[in-house]
Amino acid sequence: MARFRELSDGMLCCQLQPTCCVVPVMTPHFVRRFPAERWGLHDTGRGLGVYYDGRQPVVVTIPRAAAAPDLSADEEAIAGVWQDYYRTIAIPSRRNEALRRSYMPKKYWSSLIEMK
């Protein structure tokens, strides 16, 4: 699952925890998908990343200290609204963790906004 978030400087950032080293393989897809945007892919488990400045993708090493980027105010507001919506529509008596895991494996839950 890849979800881009807007940083305070307007750049798009996607943090991933893939099982395999797929960030370099994913790069051509996102170059075609976002040709005019500045974006970055970050494999948090391997400390590997790809930075794209709108012209050329570059594979970079990202230290653990840079793992928590500054999000834009809009991005934080959207995340807050989504979390409120998710809590509002949830029916506690109908919670089904087994079904939830069948749709989205638990190892990816840390990437979901509603699980933070």
Side-chain angles (χ1 to χ4, degrees):
M1 180 175 88
R3 182 185 181 280
F4 284 88
R5 300 176 83 183
E6 184 181 23
L7 302 182
S8 57
D9 66 353
M11 183 175 135
L12 300 175
C13 179
C14 176
Q15 293 181 316
L16 306 164
Q17 291 182 329
T19 305
C20 301
C21 186
V22 295
V23 169
V25 177
M26 295 169 64
T27 301
H29 167 75
F30 289 112
V31 168
R32 286 188 305 272
R33 182 92 166 101
F34 304 118
E37 297 284 338
R38 285 184 330 123
W39 53 263
L41 294 172
H42 179 200
D43 183 340
T44 56
R46 292 175 181 81
L48 177 71
V50 173
Y51 170 71
Y52 181 70
D53 62 0
R55 293 184 304 269
Q56 184 70 26
V58 178
V59 177
V60 294
T61 303
I62 302 172
R64 293 230 183 254
D70 257 351
L71 298 177
S72 71
D74 287 344
E75 185 67 37
E76 290 177 358
I78 290 169
V81 168
W82 178 254
Q83 289 168 343
D84 289 344
Y85 170 76
Y86 189 77
R87 278 192 301 272
T88 302
I89 65 164
I91 302 170
S93 63
R94 300 204 49 176
R95 192 173 186 108
N96 186 343
E97 296 301 321
L99 181 63
R100 179 184 279 184
R101 281 190 301 274
S102 73
Y103 287 128
M104 173 74 69
K106 196 168 185 174
K107 69 179 182 177
Y108 298 117
W109 287 9
S110 64
S111 301
L112 300 174
I113 292 173
E114 58 268 20
M115 298 307 222
K116 293 185 181 189

